[in-house]
Amino acid sequence: MIQQKVQVASEEPTVFAMATQQFNAAADKLGLNDGLRDVLGSCKREFTVNFPVKLDSGDIQVFTGHRVHHNVTRGPAKGGIRYHPNVTLDEVKALAMWMTWKCAVTNIPFGGGKGGVTCNPKSMSQGELERLTRRYATEISPLIGTVSDIPAPDVNTNGQTMAWIMDTISMHRGYTEPGIVTGKPISIGGTLGRTEATGRGVMLTAQEAAKHLGLSFEGARVVVQGYGNVGYWGAYLLQQLGCKVIAASDTRGAIYAEQGLDTEELLAHKTDSGSVAGFPGSDSITDAELLELPCEILVPAALEQQITGENAPKINTKIIVEGANGPTTPEADAIFYDRDIMVVPDILANAGGVVVSYFEWVQDIQRLFWEKDDVNERLESVMTRSFDQVLAASQEHKTDLRTAALLVAVERVADAVKIRGIYP
Ligand code: NAD
């Protein structure tokens, strides 16, 4: 069976070109010299594996996967693993670069990595997914490890996927190694608060942005594209604080309800039926219409390049909080800057996941586990401090929050490269 790859529309830059363009804007403002620009603009390691998996039918299928380290100067590579038909090396490289900046902007001691397998997990059985995961983990085992590279869940992977990876590597090494992945179930060394951490970070940064703009959460309309882990938890936590979630979508449909959606009931409906579509009391709309609904907070929490030069002029919100990685193209960013729409960039807005992953890794290494309140309080402190630093940089340099977040992050990584020096 040949995997279908959907190509990105040719007018859009590739995802890595987009990440590079964002980095160059910050590098220009920082006046980085050409050497440092080359170091920070390239991925240190790009590892591609083609590996066979036995399907339930008895057939064998060869899958392609990648694991990329963008920069590991500040610590081990950290980044999720994605299973999706559109995974490409280009996309994984961009996601790895964004991870470097995300860890630096929140000042946690990790570098940037990412992995992915080109596959359609929705058409695979649990047995096939387990065999694919265990084989992929084995193929990338030269790179991953508690002190070298620590994967986590991303699109279409979850705690179960991490448990299979942890078990596979532990079997090879002959001892249990919980610190090799984060986002694990609690029973094998996961942390309290990890599942909702990215959504909690979305909520916390939305709160800081709203505070800055003098916008009340009471009745504030929220629109969520992509009702998955990040989208659901972001929506749920915003609703808890008084916001009204009026629309949500997934790959199978988009819905709208002027009076607001009950986020928990919507999750139960999606879990039962496989989609948000058809939720009682809601109207069906298109995903394109969803993005253009009048609202106060728009949370893109699906995939890259959803908000472009084409739909940005029609977007009608005050704040965009990027739950997803790379949802907004540079062309759209420029439009939002002119239109005074605040974009809380991905490397800040969705950093809650990696911050709590860091807490999980620390607990695994120490074999000492924290209470949930400790996790949430520490997360809040990191997210609000990071937001304040980025806001201050945006005011100092008169830029949008994305460029400001990159200025903070790139400067930290550049300083680390300079002080360590170039080996030998
Ligand atoms: P997920 O698989 O749990 O959810 C993704 C959701 O988006 C699904 O409901 C899917 O149906 C929907 N979706 C996909 N394409 C869509 C489209 N074109 N239109 C509407 N809906 C669409 O994945 P997730 O973990 O929630 O990740 C979502 C995004 O957040 C990704 O960009 C990921 O890289 C980013 N992210 C995730 C984490 C994390 O901790 N899980 C951390 C940081 C960033």
Side-chain angles (χ1 to χ4, degrees), residues 108-190:
I108 57 174
F110 285 137
K114 200 81 184 187
V117 178
T118 314
C119 64
N120 184 1
K122 288 185 183 156
S123 69
M124 297 172 73
S125 70
Q126 278 296 98
E128 288 171 337
L129 283 172
E130 178 172 354
R131 293 192 291 280
L132 176 136
T133 300
R134 287 184 181 279
R135 181 65 188 242
Y136 170 65
T138 305
E139 297 286 345
I140 63 167
S141 62
L143 292 190
I144 63 177
T146 305
V147 293
S148 55
D149 174 1
I150 308 113
D154 192 69
V155 174
N156 293 323
T157 58
N158 54 28
Q160 176 62 77
T161 324
M162 297 306 112
W164 288 328
I165 295 175
M166 181 264 211
D167 183 68
T168 301
I169 302 298
S170 297
M171 287 298 113
H172 292 175
R173 304 209 172 146
Y175 52 88
T176 294
E177 192 158 12
I180 195 160
V181 284
T182 58
K184 297 180 292 297
I186 304 288
S187 55
I188 53 170

Side-chain angles (χ1 to χ4, degrees), residues 82 84 95 102 114 122 153-157 194-195 198 225-231 249-253 270 287 301-304 306 323-326 350-351 353-354:
R82 177 175 293 193
H84 195 276
L95 291 162
K102 204 177 293 185
K114 200 81 184 187
K122 288 185 183 156
D154 192 69
V155 174
N156 293 323
T157 58
R194 173 61 182 89
T195 310
T198 309
Q225 185 201 37
Y227 207 63
N229 173 281
V230 179
S249 68
D250 57 35
T251 43
R252 293 178 189 164
K270 182 172 160 71
D287 197 55
L303 292 171
E304 304 89 33
Q306 299 299 305
N325 287 307
N350 70 35
V354 75

Side-chain angles (χ1 to χ4, degrees), residues 100-385:
T100 303
W101 311 142
K102 204 177 293 185
C103 295
V105 83
T106 48
N107 215 0
I108 57 174
F110 285 137
K114 200 81 184 187
V117 178
T118 314
C119 64
N120 184 1
K122 288 185 183 156
S123 69
M124 297 172 73
S125 70
Q126 278 296 98
E128 288 171 337
L129 283 172
E130 178 172 354
R131 293 192 291 280
L132 176 136
T133 300
R134 287 184 181 279
R135 181 65 188 242
Y136 170 65
T138 305
E139 297 286 345
I140 63 167
S141 62
L143 292 190
I144 63 177
T146 305
V147 293
S148 55
D149 174 1
I150 308 113
D154 192 69
V155 174
N156 293 323
T157 58
N158 54 28
Q160 176 62 77
T161 324
M162 297 306 112
W164 288 328
I165 295 175
M166 181 264 211
D167 183 68
T168 301
I169 302 298
S170 297
M171 287 298 113
H172 292 175
R173 304 209 172 146
Y175 52 88
T176 294
E177 192 158 12
I180 195 160
V181 284
T182 58
K184 297 180 292 297
I186 304 288
S187 55
I188 53 170
T191 182
L192 296 167
R194 173 61 182 89
T195 310
E196 63 269 37
T198 309
R200 185 171 290 279
V202 165
M203 175 273 281
L204 289 165
T205 50
Q207 202 172 25
E208 293 305 301
K211 236 188 262 169
H212 176 67
L213 296 179
L215 182 87
S216 162
F217 263 11
E218 204 46 54
R221 292 163 300 174
V222 175
V223 168
V224 180
Q225 185 201 37
Y227 207 63
N229 173 281
V230 179
Y232 163 68
W233 281 107
Y236 169 78
L237 292 166
L238 285 167
Q239 190 174 52
Q240 297 292 97
L241 294 179
C243 294
K244 185 164 75 164
V245 179
I246 58 165
S249 68
D250 57 35
T251 43
R252 293 178 189 164
I255 55 164
Y256 168 68
E258 194 187 350
Q259 74 283 7
L261 300 156
D262 182 309
T263 51
E264 283 175 285
E265 281 177 20
L266 181 58
L267 178 68
H269 172 82
K270 182 172 160 71
T271 309
D272 290 345
S273 69
S275 174
V276 295
F279 183 62
S282 71
D283 296 325
S284 166
I285 54 172
T286 65
D287 197 55
E289 286 168 339
L290 172 135
L291 289 174
E292 295 166 16
L293 283 171
C295 62
E296 279 69 46
I297 302 170
L298 173 63
V299 182
L303 292 171
E304 304 89 33
Q305 297 183 322
Q306 299 299 305
I307 303 176
T308 63
E310 212 166 291
N311 58 4
K314 294 180 264 176
I315 281 175
N316 193 348
T317 190
K318 298 211 162 49
I319 308 172
I320 297 174
V321 188
E322 294 186 331
N325 287 307
T328 310
T329 65
E331 209 183 340
D333 266 335
I335 293 168
F336 292 137
Y337 191 61
D338 287 345
R339 292 184 58 207
D340 234 2
I341 292 176
M342 183 182 242
V343 180
V344 186
D346 46 10
I347 59 169
L348 175 64
N350 70 35
V354 75
V355 170
V356 175
S357 275
Y358 164 56
F359 298 160
E360 179 175 337
W361 180 77
V362 167
Q363 292 169 74
D364 286 337
I365 289 173
Q366 297 189 335
R367 302 289 197 269
L368 179 66
F369 290 88
W370 307 353
E371 299 297 332
K372 192 169 190 171
D373 283 352
D374 294 336
V375 172
N376 288 343
E377 275 164 30
R378 284 176 192 252
L379 173 64
E380 181 166 352
S381 140
V382 173
M383 295 305 294
T384 51
R385 182 196 65 209

Side-chain angles (χ1 to χ4, degrees), residues 73-93:
T73 310
R74 299 177 71 256
K78 187 85 193 78
I81 289 175
R82 177 175 293 193
Y83 290 172
H84 195 276
N86 294 0
V87 163
T88 59
L89 179 60
D90 179 273
E91 179 187 60
V92 178
K93 283 168 58 181

